[in-house]
Amino acid sequence: MAEIIDRMSKLDRRAALQLMMAASSPIGIRAAQASLAMPDLTAAFVSGFPLFEFARTAYSLAGPSAAFPPGRFNQIQHRRTLSDASSRAITATNNDCLVSSARIDLSGGPAVIVIPDIQDRYFSVALMDAFTDNFHFIGTRATKGRGGRFVLVPPGWLGPVPSDCKKIAAPTTDVWMLVRILVGGPGDYDAVHAHQDRLELIPPALQPSGQLLPVAPADGRDPANFLSVVNAMLARCPATDPRVSRALRHRGTGLMRGVLGAFHDLDGALRSAWPAAINTGVTLLRAPDPRRERRANGWSYSLANTGDYGSDDLTRARTALFGLAALPPEEAFYAHALEDAAGMALSGKHAYRLRLPPGGVPAESFWSVTMYQLESDGRLFLVPNAEARYSIGDRTEGLVRNRDGSLDILMQQARPEGAMAANWLPVPSDEFRPLFRAYLARPELRSLRWRLPAIERV
């Protein structure tokens, strides 16, 4: 027996040892067997969470409402002003760009998108599938600022496509098109609006308004709604997709492609265990993991697979919680500040300073530091403040630099006196999370040869 256990995987060895320890008691054997047979609900939650968040945010932004009963799927919606503290549909929202967004449903066939040439500023068009992976880019980096006509085709499409369009094959029926256009501030809005107005989306000929899910996303902590939404989304993805296959390894937990009532079909023990498993899953996604992260000076930097996660379901789910719609490092490089220079959590009870070194941030396009308050569920939202000041970056007017060219960003509740108010980034009264963004980061930043200094408590 010992030899067999030694040859097992760690999980199998643990299972066998549990059974061996229970061997002296028939009741113990039955209890151990029941424990080992219990599916891993937390792993199932992690696997399904990106699909749920994709659907939840889609319904939040484009679903049926009193004002628009049919919903706004297959329509471009423009944000005409920068995000502010009222922007709570998407976690860690961008405060550097004006955004145009479309939730595209290809169940009725191909859709055509028209993107203008934009040469006077940074822009990107990211196409994400239902698992929140980016699968195609148009923009400053990807196409050197050139746009064009493109046809998005659903998985397995064998029909005709317009001859004047470049074909883009979508991995899933549901696509999120997110257009980011850099803006210099309110005085620059009109120029960006002109670019936004040249965006065009021609919906599928069949079902031009899209096909709503049979169940609307509600509360992700409600296991019945969570499983129903995830199972409905899985049914809209190709069965051959490896991400679907991995999710369906958890069939015993209620993850079953297309089965809306799966939660109620589970036995009582599993139904009772699901709420705690969701709480454990959220805690897992929130918790830092130094073994997987790229950390330096209290900052956690983008992983190489950010935005295109492959088989890394845990990173995909973590990003869906605190950075949904994150771009890959070659497009935008991110760093979250997790602690100060002394290794302590960042709290609005104290004042801090981030001193950027002379020479500036190595980014070809632009950089910013945005302040977020950390919610109990791990999501990040802009900090309400009387100045409506949410970020500082290379376009911020009036920044005061030190004699050596370094730049101090002051993170505190109280507004600094005099000219240093220009360098102020307001913080909430409790825990907060600064997020650094560098668009078109240079190799020395992506490789961490250049690193952000630690945030110092002052």
Side-chain angles (χ1 to χ4, degrees):
M1 173 68 81
E3 181 182 354
I4 293 174
I5 290 176
D6 188 59
R7 290 161 54 189
M8 292 179 175
S9 70
K10 184 181 293 185
L11 183 62
D12 291 337
R13 288 200 301 271
R14 184 175 65 187
L17 288 169
Q18 286 178 356
L19 287 174
M20 289 172 65
M21 287 188 291
S24 60
S25 164
I27 295 176
I29 290 175
R30 288 196 295 273
Q33 288 172 330
S35 173
L36 293 169
M38 179 73 77
D40 189 342
L41 301 182
T42 298
F45 170 77
V46 168
S47 183
F49 184 71
L51 285 170
F52 183 87
E53 281 297 281
F54 183 97
R56 183 189 66 79
T57 54
Y59 270 65
S60 175
L61 295 169
S65 65
F68 299 96
R72 288 179 163 176
F73 288 93
N74 293 332
Q75 298 179 35
I76 299 176
Q77 299 183 68
H78 304 295
R79 184 169 182 95
R80 300 297 199 176
T81 60
L82 285 168
S83 298
D84 56 27
S86 68
S87 307
R88 297 179 66 87
I90 304 295
T91 183
T93 186
N94 182 310
N95 188 242
D96 302 298
C97 300
L98 296 192
V99 171
S100 298
S101 175
R103 296 303 188 124
I104 303 173
D105 177 359
L106 300 175
S107 57
V112 172
I113 56 174
V114 181
I115 309 298
D117 294 345
I118 301 178
Q119 299 289 344
D120 65 333
R121 65 190 64 231
Y122 170 87
F123 87 104
S124 65
V125 180
L127 298 174
M128 286 167 283
D129 63 28
F131 285 90
T132 72
D133 289 56
N134 295 279
F135 65 88
H136 194 87
F137 281 95
I138 304 158
T140 301
R141 176 193 61 85
T143 59
K144 301 188 184 305
R146 293 190 295 271
R149 294 177 64 88
F150 305 85
V151 59
L152 270 173
V153 301
W157 178 258
L158 299 177
V161 296
S163 59
D164 62 342
C165 294
K166 179 181 177 181
K167 179 179 173 183
I168 302 173
T172 59
T173 298
D174 299 287
V175 174
W176 184 3
M177 181 178 78
L178 193 54
V179 184
R180 299 168 172 92
I181 307 176
L182 181 64
V183 63
D188 195 28
Y189 282 168
D190 287 347
V192 177
H193 294 168
H195 291 311
Q196 290 179 311
D197 291 340
R198 293 163 61 204
L199 296 165
E200 187 178 356
L201 169 58
I202 303 171
L206 300 175
Q207 297 179 327
S209 298
Q211 184 180 58
L212 296 177
L213 289 177
V215 56
D219 184 356
R221 292 183 183 265
D222 172 5
N225 184 255
F226 177 82
L227 287 173
S228 294
V229 170
V230 172
N231 289 347
M233 291 296 293
L234 285 169
R236 295 167 64 88
C237 301
T240 54
D241 190 311
R243 298 165 298 184
V244 173
S245 301
R246 289 196 302 276
L248 295 182
R249 294 174 185 171
H250 304 290
R251 287 184 183 88
T253 69
L255 282 188
M256 302 174 70
R257 194 165 178 260
V259 181
L260 302 185
F263 177 76
H264 300 291
D265 294 336
L266 298 173
D267 64 41
L270 277 175
R271 290 199 305 272
S272 298
W274 252 111
I278 290 176
N279 289 335
T280 301
V282 171
T283 300
L284 171 68
L285 299 183
R286 284 192 61 182
D289 185 354
R291 296 169 300 174
R292 300 170 60 87
E293 295 173 355
R294 301 171 70 197
R295 281 223 202 170
N297 299 330
W299 295 85
S300 177
Y301 290 88
S302 292
L303 296 176
N305 65 350
T306 298
D308 186 7
Y309 307 96
S311 61
D312 189 352
D313 296 328
L314 181 57
T315 298
R316 179 182 288 110
R318 276 191 166 138
T319 308
L321 177 64
F322 58 76
L324 186 66
L327 296 167
E330 61 269 23
E331 194 72 42
F333 196 68
Y334 307 101
H336 291 261
L338 304 179
E339 59 193 22
D340 65 16
M344 303 298 292
L346 299 168
S347 168
K349 297 177 176 64
H350 308 293
Y352 301 89
R353 178 185 65 201
L354 170 63
R355 175 165 289 174
L356 297 177
V361 174
E364 292 293 339
S365 188
F366 66 94
W367 65 267
S368 66
V369 178
T370 306
M371 184 60 65
Y372 299 97
Q373 58 187 14
L374 184 60
E375 303 291 314
S376 60
D377 63 1
R379 292 186 174 93
L380 302 173
F381 297 115
L382 296 172
V383 179
N385 67 91
E387 305 272 339
R389 190 177 182 87
Y390 308 106
S391 66
I392 284 180
D394 56 358
R395 290 148 293 117
T396 302
E397 295 182 359
L399 289 176
V400 178
R401 296 185 179 273
N402 301 317
R403 280 188 170 186
D404 64 355
S406 61
L407 175 68
D408 290 344
I409 297 177
L410 307 181
M411 303 177 184
Q412 57 193 53
Q413 287 198 68
R415 187 181 193 272
E417 297 290 335
M420 288 305 294
N423 295 35
W424 176 43
L425 193 52
V427 304
S429 59
D430 206 346
E431 193 172 359
F432 62 85
R433 180 72 60 81
L435 174 55
F436 166 84
R437 292 176 170 92
Y439 280 70
L440 308 188
R442 294 175 186 155
E444 60 266 35
L445 175 51
R446 299 206 308 269
S447 66
L448 299 192
R449 296 196 305 273
W450 188 96
R451 302 177 179 185
L452 288 163
I455 294 175
E456 300 172 292
R457 180 173 162 183
V458 296

